[in-house]
Amino acid sequence: IRTHAAHLLTRQDVRQLLDQLKSSNEAVVNEVVPDVLTLGEIQRVLQALLAEGVSIRDLGAIVEAIGDKARLTRDPSLSAEYARQALGRAITAPYLDENRTLHAITLDPSIEHDVVRAITQTTEGEYLAMEPSRAQAVLSALRSQSDQASSHGGLRPVLLCSARVRRHLRRLVEQALPHLAVCSYNEIASGISVQTVGVVST
């Protein structure tokens, strides 16, 4: 159920969740639904979060975050990125060691630049149009860095990148490296140290 939660979340489920939230945080629900965002738009944001294993328990923070940014975008994928930033502390918590340090794999700036250049805007949103051979080279290098980090003390590294490319990189790696978390720098809460354990370069 947890694996397929994104597909199981119906619009009726979202309505019930919002009704429950209304009992404790009526102001945020009334401010956002339905005048700012529709039930369907909120459903798609929650589905995007669940698809990456992000808990939607803090629904108040999610609705508030995407409601505040609704005047900038109605794209569910982009709205989900704003929600992730609000949930950053909870997202990174499972990957912290006892010293509250996040072990991260980062990208060589040239690779991140290539990803940005390969992002294509369409009427249905953005998608990554990277040349297959280049994408495969990035995946191979990332797999190598991930395996190397995991073999040293059983670390659970995350791929750390800019918010601009995070969701596109996640889609790129989700088939080859489904257990690798992809986080943006904007999701790193105060008090968390970041230790780079690998740099992806090709």
Side-chain angles (χ1 to χ4, degrees):
I1 291 174
R2 189 169 294 152
T3 302
H4 300 285
H7 303 292
L8 298 173
L9 185 72
T10 65
R11 204 159 291 190
Q12 182 61 35
D13 293 331
V14 176
R15 168 51 65 194
Q16 292 174 354
L17 289 171
L18 289 173
D19 287 343
Q20 292 173 14
L21 176 62
K22 203 169 185 178
S23 64
S24 60
N25 198 342
E26 183 177 2
V28 72
V29 177
N30 289 342
E31 182 181 334
V32 175
V33 186
D35 295 334
V36 178
L37 292 169
T38 67
L39 195 63
E41 288 170 328
I42 293 176
Q43 178 194 16
R44 288 191 289 276
V45 171
L46 296 181
Q47 287 174 326
L49 294 172
L50 289 171
E52 290 195 50
V54 176
S55 171
I56 60 171
R57 187 170 292 137
D58 193 355
L59 186 60
I62 295 171
V63 173
E64 187 172 345
I66 64 178
D68 288 344
K69 299 295 184 179
R71 62 183 178 275
L72 301 177
T73 181
R74 303 290 288 263
D75 183 329
S77 296
L78 193 52
S79 294
E81 293 302 307
Y82 290 125
R84 286 182 62 95
Q85 292 172 26
L87 300 173
R89 193 175 296 277
I91 289 173
T92 57
Y95 305 100
L96 301 180
D97 65 15
E98 63 276 8
N99 298 316
R100 294 186 56 75
T101 298
L102 184 71
H103 300 274
I105 297 170
T106 60
L107 297 176
D108 183 274
S110 64
I111 293 180
E112 189 150 334
H113 180 65
D114 286 349
V115 174
V116 171
R117 290 179 56 190
I119 296 173
T120 302
Q121 181 71 49
T122 71
T123 55
E124 297 182 355
E126 293 181 345
Y127 73 96
L128 186 63
M130 182 177 280
E131 184 179 328
S133 59
R134 179 62 167 156
Q136 193 56 52
V138 171
L139 283 175
S140 296
L142 181 54
R143 182 184 289 107
S144 175
Q145 291 292 339
S146 177
D147 291 345
Q148 186 174 336
S150 298
S151 66
H152 287 78
L155 298 177
R156 294 183 64 198
V158 304
L159 175 58
L160 198 57
C161 59
S162 69
R164 178 72 183 93
V165 303
R166 195 212 68 83
R167 68 187 189 277
H168 300 291
L169 281 173
R170 171 59 188 169
R171 289 181 190 136
L172 178 65
V173 307
E174 63 184 351
Q175 296 299 323
L177 298 164
H179 300 297
L180 179 65
V182 183
C183 299
S184 79
Y185 293 105
N186 293 354
E187 294 165 18
I188 308 301
S190 60
I192 294 176
S193 301
V194 176
Q195 179 181 346
T196 301
V197 295
V199 179
V200 177
S201 58
T202 58

